[in-house]
């Protein structure tokens, strides 16, 4: 049968009155309903009573509503639509109605829908015996079953569901109001609630309780945290989270957030009373934010303070062994970097004495790159100007002569020129020259009574000769010998060394002008850096990179006491050996080792990672020798591993930890189990911290988190089930 198309603007004379009654509303109807509607059907007719009948693949578009049905009848006297299903009506992007039959007003926004199902944001499904649309915003449903779980013919019982005598969906407030609600899990009734309000899936800032968290700790006992979210307006909100445990812990966490046109601010913390410190109020406070300022400047700050060292560890406030706060103002452009920072430090390691360490620092730095291609000298000039001030607040009474209270101010200016040339035979030559001036003033330390000024200059020539070849299998090999000669000279001035006592030596700085990452100590003397790189790129997608190198110096490295066991301490450094293998299947293996002149392994590190669609593995093995100079009294042989796997049934597991082979003890052990499908998330985690240098008191912690997905903006994406077709 040929399909007939009927539009309001072009109806024939014999149907004009009936169709106009269908698509035009009374003046009292809101303005959005005044827009014309479009009707398509296989057959349209007017019966003797004057009713419009449309049958066969009926579709109606009216404003934001699109309706499909098998039959629609319209009576102009009652201005009602009689619709026969199956009915699918989509009201905007967030609501879909499915039904068998319906009686609706001409604007499709009021009426009764029977054997209906409402789908909100393609997540929450609400099945009702009868559905009433009272106006554009309110939908009332009777005898309701609500769930975001998949319901199939072979599995008609959802994993969780809420049954209620009546549910009202307020589209303006974006909330669901349940009357006589009953929560069921796997068909078993668990909780009865006379009244219940939930945000619909489109609501992400509804006032009310958030997902509770349950935890157990060997130091704090068994307890639960119940957050309560309070939106103040569209830009501000507050979250309060009281915590109670069986070991008399009473705590209140708080968080305030505010969004601005060019940034955001967050302030929070916790106040607690526990049995670990009876009679004392403990807690922490943090503030963080980021703002975009004029002239491309960015202001960032992240400040954290705790009542005591043990509190930050007991409550797992920070994951690392050092607490750092900073306020940073910076601007990064293509050839320019400007940064000003205020920093605060506090070590959580029990072996560290914070009185010995700088507690605060101020830094300012301006870096500029100037291209010189238009000049005969060519290359580029890098300028670096900066200032830093830091200090120790009090002396350490145990060693007053070595760690006095003092304040230090350092100014520096540095200029570096660098250029590359291509020589005959494909040799790449790089030349560089650097000059630096440091001026230091020390207050409070009798060892440095006068201002100190240090001049330093360096020059470098580097040659690289890459060779490339392709083997019979199509693999490409690149061999590159590298030779670098560096001459350095500085005024013999002993500056205070607070920012770096030990230079680093790895594949990243084998050919660097300076191996100290700080500024107080400088690399000095004449040295030759030699290395050989070999890379292979296979057509099957895997690659291998290797590097062997060593440093020869005319004099021993300055700053190391005689007999210090260190990779750079002698006139000849250890041999550096590094390799990295990458496979297309997601496997990556890297190894780095420093081999002493006698051929023994001095220190080394190996890392392995592998990942695919379901499995992730990451492990590392570290070996470091004992060194008094590096504040390491014992050899370190540490192994860390983390393994995660996601199963097809929605389950995922993870295990990990660290083990010290030298001490034959674990540092941390952790395990977790997660279940996630389209409507439920259950996350269990267990961690055990053993006694280490950063944690003298062992502790065990257990956390449980349960979330109903598809409610309140919580996406139901994940390992969702689907019905078989």
């Amino acid at each position: 049968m040929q399909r007939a198309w009927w539009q309001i603007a072009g109806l024939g004379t014999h149907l004009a009155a009936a169709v106009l009654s269908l698509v035009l509303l009374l003046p009292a109807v809101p303005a959005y309903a005044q827009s014309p509607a479009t009707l398509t059907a296989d057959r349209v007719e007017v019966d003797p009573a004057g009713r419009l009948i449309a049958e066969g693949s009926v579709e109606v578009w009216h404003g934001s509503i699109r309706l499909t049905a098998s039959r629609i009848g319209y009576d102009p006297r009652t201005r009602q639509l009689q619709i026969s299903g199956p009915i699918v009506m989509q009201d905007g992007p967030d609501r879909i109605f499915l039904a068998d039959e319906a009686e609706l007003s001409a604007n499709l926004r009021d009426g009764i829908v029977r054997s209906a199902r409402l789908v909100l944001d393609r997540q929450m499904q609400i099945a009702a015996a009868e559905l009433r649309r009272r106006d554009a915003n309110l939908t009332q449903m009777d005898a309701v079953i609500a769930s975001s779980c998949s319901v199939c013919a072979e599995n008609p019982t959802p994993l969780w569901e809420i049954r209620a005598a009546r549910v009202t969906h307020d589209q303006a407030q974006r909330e669901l109001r349940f009357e006589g609600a009953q929560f069921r899990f796997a068909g078993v009734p668990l909780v009865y609630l006379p009244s219940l309000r939930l945000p619909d899936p489109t609501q992400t800032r509804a006032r009310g309780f958030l997902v509770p968290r349950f935890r157990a700790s060997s130091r704090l006992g068994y307890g639960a945290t119940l957050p309560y979210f309070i939106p103040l307006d569209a830009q501000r909100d507050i979250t309060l989270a009281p915590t109670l445990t069986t070991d008399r812990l009473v705590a209140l966490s708080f968080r305030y957030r505010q969004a601005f046109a060019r940034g955001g601010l967050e302030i929070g913390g916790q106040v607690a009373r526990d049995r670990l410190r009876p009679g004392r109020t403990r807690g922490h406070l943090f503030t963080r934010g980021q703002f975009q300022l004029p002239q491309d400047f960015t202001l960032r700050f992240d400040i954290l303070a705790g009542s005591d060292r043990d509190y930050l560890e007991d409550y797992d406030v920070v994951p690392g062994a050092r607490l750092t706060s900073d306020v940073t103002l910076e601007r990064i452009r293509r050839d320019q970097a400007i940064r000003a920072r205020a920093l605060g430090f506090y070590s959580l390691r029990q072996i560290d004495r914070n009185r010995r360490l700088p507690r605060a620092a101020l830094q300012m730095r301006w870096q500029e790159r100037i291209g010189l291609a238009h000049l005969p000298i060519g290359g580029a000039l890098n300028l670096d100007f900066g200032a830093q001030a830091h200090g120790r607040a009090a002396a350490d009474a145990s060693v007053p002569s070595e760690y006095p209270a003092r304040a230090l101010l350092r100014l520096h200016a540095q200029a570096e020129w660098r250029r590359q040339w291509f020589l005959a035979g494909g040799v790449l030559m790089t030349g560089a020259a650097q000059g630096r001036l440091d001026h230091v003033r020390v207050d409070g330390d009798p060892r440095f009574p006068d201002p100190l000024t240090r001049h330093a200059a360096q020059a470098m020539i580097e040659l690289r000769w890459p060779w490339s070849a392709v083997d019979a299998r199509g693999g490409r090999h690149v061999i590159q010998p590298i030779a670098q000669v560096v001459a350095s000279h500085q005024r013999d001035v002993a500056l205070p060394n607070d920012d770096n006592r030990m230079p680093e030596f790895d594949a990243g700085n084998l050919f660097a002008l300076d191996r100290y990452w700080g500024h107080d100590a400088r690399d000095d003397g004449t040295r030759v850096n030699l290395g050989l790189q070999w890379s292979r790129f296979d057509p099957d997608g895997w690659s291998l990179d290797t590097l062997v190198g060593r440093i020869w110096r005319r004099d021993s490295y300055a700053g190391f006491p005689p007999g210090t066991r260190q990779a750079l301490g002698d006139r000849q450094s250890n041999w550096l050996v590094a390799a990295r293998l990458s496979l297309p299947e997601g496997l990556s293996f890297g190894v780095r080792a420093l081999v002493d002149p006698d051929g023994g392994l001095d220190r080394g590190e190996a890392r392995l990672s592998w990942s695919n669609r379901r499995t992730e593995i990451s492990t590392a093995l570290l070996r470091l020798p004992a060194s008094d100079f590096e504040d390491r009294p014992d050899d370190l042989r540490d192994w860390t591993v983390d393994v995660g796997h996601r199963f097809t049934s929605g389950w995922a597991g993870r295990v990990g930890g660290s083990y010290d082979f030298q001490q034959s003890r674990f540092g941390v052990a952790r395990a977790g189990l997660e279940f996630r499908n389209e409507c439920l998330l259950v996350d269990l985690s267990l961690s055990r911290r053993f006694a280490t240098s950063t944690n003298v008191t062992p502790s065990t912690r257990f956390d449980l988190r349960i979330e109903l997905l598809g409610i309140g903006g919580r996406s139901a994406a994940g390992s969702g089930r689907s019905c078989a077709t």
Side-chain angles (χ1 to χ4, degrees):
M1 179 184 297
Q2 183 177 3
R3 184 177 180 85
W5 293 83
W6 300 87
Q7 289 190 311
I8 295 173
L11 290 177
T13 304
H14 62 290
L15 292 177
V19 176
L20 286 174
S21 299
L22 173 64
V23 299
L24 298 179
L25 307 176
L26 295 176
V29 177
Y32 62 76
Q34 302 293 341
S35 59
T38 301
L39 167 70
T40 66
D42 292 336
R43 183 175 64 258
V44 178
E45 63 181 16
V46 178
D47 67 7
R51 293 176 300 178
L52 176 69
I53 306 297
E55 295 180 321
S57 301
V58 180
E59 293 188 49
V60 178
W61 293 270
H62 188 267
S64 62
I65 297 178
R66 177 179 180 270
L67 182 145
T68 62
S70 60
R71 184 179 187 276
I72 291 181
Y74 176 71
D75 191 337
R77 293 170 299 179
T78 61
R79 300 186 61 82
Q80 292 290 316
L81 293 167
Q82 300 289 334
I83 308 174
S84 300
I87 301 171
V88 178
M89 184 170 65
Q90 182 171 349
D91 185 0
D94 302 326
R95 297 203 301 177
I96 299 176
F97 297 88
L98 308 174
D100 293 335
E101 58 179 300
E103 298 177 11
L104 299 177
S105 61
N107 63 357
L108 303 176
R109 297 186 179 274
D110 300 312
I112 299 175
V113 181
R114 297 183 179 87
S115 299
R117 186 170 57 159
L118 171 61
V119 182
L120 299 175
D121 198 31
R122 302 185 182 274
Q123 298 184 52
M124 173 68 77
Q125 303 178 52
I126 303 177
E130 188 172 271
L131 181 151
R132 295 182 178 87
R133 301 196 69 188
R134 291 162 43 186
D135 56 36
N137 294 321
L138 292 180
T139 302
Q140 190 177 85
M141 294 158 278
D142 296 330
V144 170
I145 300 177
S147 178
S148 60
C149 302
S150 298
V151 179
C152 306
E154 65 275 10
N155 187 21
T157 302
L159 189 59
W160 66 264
E161 60 185 295
I162 301 176
R163 299 198 175 198
R166 174 169 295 177
V167 174
T168 301
H169 179 221
D170 190 330
Q171 193 172 4
Q173 299 296 326
R174 294 192 293 178
E175 70 175 10
L176 298 165
R177 297 190 288 267
F178 293 78
E179 300 177 24
Q182 183 185 88
F183 179 80
R184 294 189 176 192
F185 187 83
V188 179
L190 297 181
V191 181
Y192 174 77
L193 298 171
S195 179
L196 175 65
R197 291 193 179 193
L198 293 176
D200 74 13
T202 66
Q203 175 64 276
T204 59
R205 293 175 53 80
R207 182 190 184 104
F209 290 101
L210 302 179
V211 178
R213 296 183 65 94
F214 304 94
R215 63 182 57 186
S217 170
S218 60
R219 294 175 59 81
L220 300 174
Y222 300 91
T225 301
L226 185 61
Y228 189 80
F229 180 74
I230 307 171
L232 303 178
D233 53 36
Q235 294 79 34
R236 300 178 301 157
D237 59 59
I238 296 176
T239 302
L240 301 176
T243 300
L244 297 175
T245 72
T246 56
D247 279 8
R248 303 190 304 276
L249 165 65
V250 179
L252 176 64
S253 301
F254 59 92
R255 184 188 66 181
Y256 170 81
R257 298 186 304 177
Q258 182 169 355
F260 299 89
R262 299 179 65 87
L265 171 68
E266 182 178 359
I267 302 174
Q270 179 175 271
V271 179
R273 303 272 290 192
D274 55 43
R275 66 176 180 83
L276 302 179
R277 296 287 183 91
R280 287 189 55 182
T281 299
R282 312 171 71 194
H284 74 280
L285 178 68
F286 73 85
T287 177
R288 60 176 65 103
Q290 178 171 320
F291 294 89
Q292 299 298 320
L293 304 181
Q295 301 297 320
D296 298 330
F297 280 96
T298 300
L299 174 65
R300 297 194 309 270
F301 51 89
D302 188 350
I303 303 172
L304 174 63
S307 59
D308 56 85
R309 183 201 306 240
D310 293 335
Y311 168 85
L312 299 173
E313 182 181 314
D314 293 337
Y315 289 84
D316 200 22
V317 177
V318 290
R322 178 175 296 164
L323 178 64
T324 303
S325 299
D326 74 279
V327 179
T328 302
L329 175 66
E330 68 179 3
R331 182 176 72 185
I332 307 297
R333 291 178 173 174
R334 183 178 183 274
D335 293 320
Q336 184 189 77
I338 302 175
R339 179 180 291 112
R341 307 180 70 188
L343 300 168
F345 307 98
Y346 189 80
S347 176
L348 304 180
R349 301 195 336 153
Q350 296 295 332
I351 63 174
D352 286 342
R353 298 181 181 180
N354 282 293
R355 293 179 180 271
R356 299 183 181 183
L357 306 176
R359 297 289 303 276
L362 296 175
Q363 297 177 340
M364 290 179 289
R365 196 170 185 182
W366 184 311
Q367 296 173 283
E368 190 91 17
R369 181 186 181 276
I370 303 174
L372 303 178
H374 59 287
L375 298 178
I377 190 174
L381 180 65
N382 298 301
L383 302 178
D384 187 347
F385 305 95
Q388 176 171 313
H390 62 266
R392 288 192 294 263
D396 192 320
S398 62
V399 281
S401 61
E402 186 178 356
Y403 296 98
R406 72 182 185 193
L408 183 145
L409 171 65
R410 183 183 66 244
L411 307 176
H412 80 264
Q414 178 178 295
E416 179 182 315
W417 168 81
R418 183 178 291 262
R419 182 181 177 181
Q420 291 184 338
W421 295 268
F422 288 97
L423 305 181
V427 176
L428 176 63
M429 184 176 74
T430 302
Q434 182 190 95
R436 183 181 176 92
L437 174 67
D438 292 277
H439 181 74
V440 177
R441 291 177 177 266
V442 182
D443 184 20
D445 193 335
R447 297 175 299 173
F448 305 98
D450 301 321
L452 302 171
T453 301
R454 180 181 62 190
H455 309 271
Q458 295 189 98
M460 179 271 290
I461 291 292
E462 178 184 285
L463 298 175
R464 294 174 179 253
W465 193 8
W467 308 335
S468 178
V470 178
D471 60 26
R473 297 186 64 255
R476 184 164 58 93
H477 300 257
V478 178
I479 300 177
Q480 182 174 223
I482 306 171
Q484 185 186 70
V485 180
V486 182
S488 300
H489 177 74
Q490 64 181 0
R491 183 185 174 190
D492 190 14
V493 175
L495 299 184
N497 186 3
D498 287 339
D499 62 0
N500 186 10
R501 297 183 59 200
M502 183 186 68
E504 302 295 334
F505 183 35
D506 55 31
N509 65 9
L510 173 61
F511 302 103
L513 291 179
D514 198 344
R515 296 177 182 86
Y516 286 102
W517 59 265
H519 299 286
D520 290 342
R522 299 289 299 174
D523 208 338
D524 193 19
T526 302
R527 59 224 183 247
V528 176
N529 309 318
L530 298 180
L532 180 65
Q533 289 182 333
W534 171 54
S535 302
R536 188 187 192 281
F537 304 93
D538 195 87
D540 292 336
W542 64 268
S543 62
L544 175 65
D545 295 292
T546 62
L547 171 66
V548 177
R550 196 179 191 187
I551 302 172
W552 282 265
R553 305 177 59 88
R554 189 169 71 174
D555 300 308
S556 299
Y557 217 102
F560 291 98
T564 297
R565 184 181 179 185
Q566 212 279 339
L568 290 172
D570 298 326
R571 295 177 61 184
Q572 296 180 3
S573 74
N574 287 347
W575 286 97
L576 170 65
V577 179
R580 182 176 181 84
L581 174 66
S582 299
L583 300 181
E585 295 82 7
L587 177 65
S588 176
F589 175 72
V591 61
R592 182 187 62 167
L594 295 177
V595 181
D596 60 37
D598 297 329
L601 179 63
D602 182 68
R603 60 192 69 197
E605 179 185 32
R607 293 183 177 273
L608 173 69
S609 63
W610 179 70
S611 63
N612 59 14
R613 191 170 59 91
R614 296 190 176 275
T615 305
E616 293 184 356
I617 300 175
S618 176
T619 183
L621 182 63
L622 177 65
R623 182 187 186 279
L624 294 174
S627 173
D628 294 336
F629 182 75
E630 300 175 22
D631 293 329
R632 188 170 51 254
D634 301 314
D635 289 345
L636 176 62
R637 291 187 298 162
D638 188 67
W639 175 55
T640 60
V641 61
D642 286 284
V643 180
H645 182 75
R646 184 168 296 277
F647 302 93
T648 56
S649 58
W651 290 93
R654 57 189 183 274
V655 295
S658 63
Y659 185 80
D660 188 341
F661 287 100
Q662 188 68 27
Q663 304 294 329
S664 299
R665 65 184 182 186
F666 283 95
V668 177
R670 50 186 174 268
L673 186 64
E674 177 186 285
F675 174 79
R676 182 187 182 103
N677 65 4
E678 76 285 351
C679 63
L680 181 67
L681 171 65
V682 180
D683 188 0
L684 300 92
S685 62
L686 175 66
S687 63
R688 170 70 175 175
R689 288 188 176 182
F690 300 86
T692 63
S693 60
T694 61
N695 177 35
V696 296
T697 305
S699 61
T700 303
R701 180 170 175 172
F702 171 81
D703 286 278
L704 171 63
R705 179 165 60 102
I706 302 175
E707 293 190 34
L708 303 181
L709 304 181
I711 296 178
R714 183 59 171 163
S715 173
S719 301
R721 297 174 297 170
S722 60
C723 300
T725 57

